[in-house]
Amino acid sequence: MEWWMSMPKVELHAHLNGSIRDSTLLELARALGDKGLIDFSQVEHVILKNDRSLTEVFKLFDVIHILTTDHMTVTRIAKEVVEDFASENVVYLELRTTPKKNDSQGMSKRSYVEAVLEGIRSVSSVDVALIPYTEDHRNLLDPLCSATNDKCNGDGRKKIFVRLLLSIDRRETTEAAMETVKLALEMRHLGVVGIDLSGNPKVGEWKTYLPALKFAREQGLFVTLHCGEVPNSKEIQDMLDFLPQRIGHACFFEEEHWRKLKSTNIPVEICLTSNIRTLSVPSIDAHHFVDLYNAKLPVVLCTDDSGVFSTSLSNEYKVAASSFGLGRKQTFELSKNAVEFIFSDNVVKDELREIFNSAAKNLE
Ligand code: 5GP
């Protein structure tokens, strides 16, 4: 196994519906095509296309969401996505997804998230630690593991920590965003740790989401924002002034934004392949990762949408190593540093640090 694959990794920016296997998407599309509900040949073409602009990516998400409307499918994709990350030695995964209401399927935002959690719990190829220790002391008795329950992998089985972030879609109203935050609060004891703001960056206004994001932070939820995916100087400034615990992308930052970012030390979730594919960054050589990394600012490599962009977290580390001349030890340190930016408590961080320290011995 190549070292970037066997190295432990931390994934902090992965959208559930963007991480679906192509094979699963095609299977779902074929089934709907057979029922005459969609034109399979049209959808197949969209799924298999490789390079997409940012606008085309959001069109693809509309197609994906037509294919993944029922609870059973949501549960299936959540299970497969966790299995896929675990299989490439991701030891901690923060998965994010937008709770969806769909009356025709009897789906509420809550039942959608329950279906996602059911999928995560049903993973059997690896032990899953989902319930935050600090949220529920009963999980010490939970056979599905707690952060401190070492019986879970005492038999040498692999273990992955999984946490869920609920996304607010930029198309949503203040009320809908607030509903998502309230849901996250009610589901904290089940593994929901924070809120993400995502969706088409050309749509919506910061002031619409602000009340819900403020409320989330007041209530102790972690917040991460998609920030600077398109040129929008005022919004970037407003987002940085909000002081989220992390931001994603930061592609269209201007000098004043970099200054603010540097002074606040907000960690940046970097999605190399996604940024190149969507042309948010002209080429890998021009990617802002280099400046942030050289300035020793907090950065973490992530996939964004491993299915949509045909990548994996191992591949993102491989691309960073080869494009920016990082050696094996530097790449390992980059991966290990991500532990410091996770939305989990010190118990989890300590366990992850131990995993990395023990893996570091193989580097020598
Ligand atoms: P879901 O939330 O349905 O599980 O995952 C797909 C959704 O995540 C998309 O519909 C979109 O709202 C959001 N998303 C996925 N990738 C990106 C991205 O690169 N940028 C932004 N702003 N949103 C994204």
Side-chain angles (χ1 to χ4, degrees), residues 301-363:
L301 292 184
C302 304
T303 53
D304 202 6
D305 300 290
S306 54
V308 168
F309 299 119
S310 309
T311 188
S312 64
L313 192 55
S314 304
N315 185 55
E316 295 303 300
Y317 277 94
K318 182 181 157 203
V319 169
S322 62
S323 308
F324 310 123
L326 305 185
R328 194 168 156 178
K329 196 157 183 289
Q330 285 170 303
T331 312
F332 181 89
E333 286 301 317
L334 180 64
S335 180
K336 184 181 167 190
N337 274 346
V339 173
E340 307 312 317
F341 319 131
I342 65 173
F343 290 168
S344 282
D345 53 51
N346 283 331
V347 180
V348 180
K349 283 188 182 168
D350 281 346
E351 194 169 326
L352 291 172
R353 288 184 192 119
E354 257 178 51
I355 291 172
F356 276 95
N357 288 341
S358 126
K361 292 181 192 135
N362 300 329
L363 280 179

Side-chain angles (χ1 to χ4, degrees), residues 13 15-18 54 57-58 61 65 96-98 100 112 167 169-171 197-201 226 229 249 274 304-305 309:
H13 187 137
H15 297 268
L16 174 63
N17 278 285
L54 197 59
V57 164
F58 286 99
F61 280 123
H65 290 145
R96 54 185 79 187
T97 194
T98 322
K100 294 165 190 76
Y112 173 89
S167 302
D169 188 310
R170 296 183 59 112
R171 287 176 293 195
L197 174 68
S198 55
N200 193 339
H226 281 62
E229 286 180 286
H249 298 294
S274 160
D304 202 6
D305 300 290
F309 299 119

Side-chain angles (χ1 to χ4, degrees), residues 13-32:
H13 187 137
H15 297 268
L16 174 63
N17 278 285
S19 309
I20 306 175
R21 299 173 186 162
D22 271 0
S23 57
T24 298
L25 271 186
L26 286 172
E27 188 190 317
L28 295 170
R30 205 168 281 121
L32 287 190

Side-chain angles (χ1 to χ4, degrees), residues 14-303:
H15 297 268
L16 174 63
N17 278 285
S19 309
I20 306 175
R21 299 173 186 162
D22 271 0
S23 57
T24 298
L25 271 186
L26 286 172
E27 188 190 317
L28 295 170
R30 205 168 281 121
L32 287 190
D34 289 349
K35 287 184 195 158
L37 296 173
I38 58 165
D39 179 348
F40 176 68
S41 61
Q42 289 295 318
V43 174
E44 182 185 30
H45 164 75
V46 178
I47 292 171
L48 294 178
K49 190 167 186 271
N50 244 338
D51 46 341
R52 303 179 178 90
S53 67
L54 197 59
T55 304
E56 284 174 325
V57 164
F58 286 99
K59 279 194 191 136
L60 174 61
F61 280 123
D62 288 341
V63 171
I64 292 176
H65 290 145
I66 291 169
L67 303 177
T68 60
T69 46
D70 63 281
H71 293 102
M72 226 171 69
T73 305
V74 170
T75 296
R76 170 185 173 177
I77 60 174
K79 176 175 188 276
E80 289 180 355
V81 167
V82 174
E83 284 172 349
D84 289 350
F85 278 112
S87 74
E88 55 155 339
N89 291 306
V90 170
V91 290
Y92 178 96
L93 165 66
E94 267 170 34
L95 199 55
R96 54 185 79 187
T97 194
T98 322
K100 294 165 190 76
K101 187 169 160 358
N102 185 344
D103 292 338
S104 70
Q105 299 286 342
M107 183 184 277
S108 62
K109 283 190 172 188
R110 173 185 287 277
S111 72
Y112 173 89
V113 180
E114 281 166 352
V116 173
L117 291 169
E118 191 185 328
I120 297 171
R121 284 193 293 261
S122 68
V123 169
S124 58
S125 59
V126 57
D127 288 331
V128 174
L130 176 63
I131 301 173
Y133 172 69
T134 45
E135 285 302 320
D136 186 356
H137 294 287
R138 284 168 305 164
N139 68 15
L140 285 169
L141 304 171
D142 182 349
L144 278 168
C145 311
S146 73
T148 54
N149 186 355
D150 58 8
K151 272 184 293 190
C152 290
N153 57 359
D155 57 1
R157 269 167 62 80
K158 262 196 202 178
K159 172 171 167 181
I160 182 170
F161 289 93
V162 183
R163 298 291 185 264
L164 202 58
L165 306 181
L166 301 190
S167 302
I168 295 169
D169 188 310
R170 296 183 59 112
R171 287 176 293 195
E172 290 184 303
T173 59
T174 304
E175 291 68 35
M178 196 62 97
E179 192 192 339
T180 296
V181 171
K182 286 185 180 154
L183 186 59
L185 286 168
E186 285 163 23
M187 299 183 102
R188 265 174 149 176
H189 64 294
L190 299 173
V192 177
V193 293
I195 294 291
D196 155 57
L197 174 68
S198 55
N200 193 339
K202 295 173 185 159
V203 171
E205 284 186 283
W206 171 244
K207 67 171 193 276
T208 307
Y209 330 112
L210 187 57
L213 293 168
K214 267 190 181 158
F215 180 61
R217 202 179 43 197
E218 279 160 19
Q219 296 297 314
L221 286 167
F222 292 97
V223 175
T224 178
L225 306 172
H226 281 62
C227 178
E229 286 180 286
V230 290
N232 187 342
S233 187
K234 170 81 172 67
E235 184 181 271
I236 296 171
Q237 195 62 49
D238 287 345
M239 285 185 168
L240 293 174
D241 287 343
F242 177 77
L243 293 176
Q245 277 98 352
R246 294 197 308 254
I247 57 166
H249 298 294
C251 297
F252 287 90
F253 271 34
E254 294 161 17
E255 222 22 75
E256 58 185 311
H257 306 134
W258 290 127
R259 260 201 307 276
K260 175 83 181 171
L261 185 78
K262 285 176 187 174
S263 69
T264 52
N265 235 24
I266 299 169
V268 184
E269 303 152 357
I270 295 279
C271 309
L272 296 171
T273 301
S274 160
N275 295 159
I276 300 301
R277 287 274 169 86
T278 57
L279 300 178
S280 305
V281 169
S283 72
I284 192 82
D285 303 329
H287 201 286
H288 46 288
F289 169 85
V290 186
D291 287 341
L292 294 173
Y293 180 80
N294 288 337
K296 299 198 182 338
L297 287 167
V299 285
V300 47
L301 292 184
C302 304
T303 53

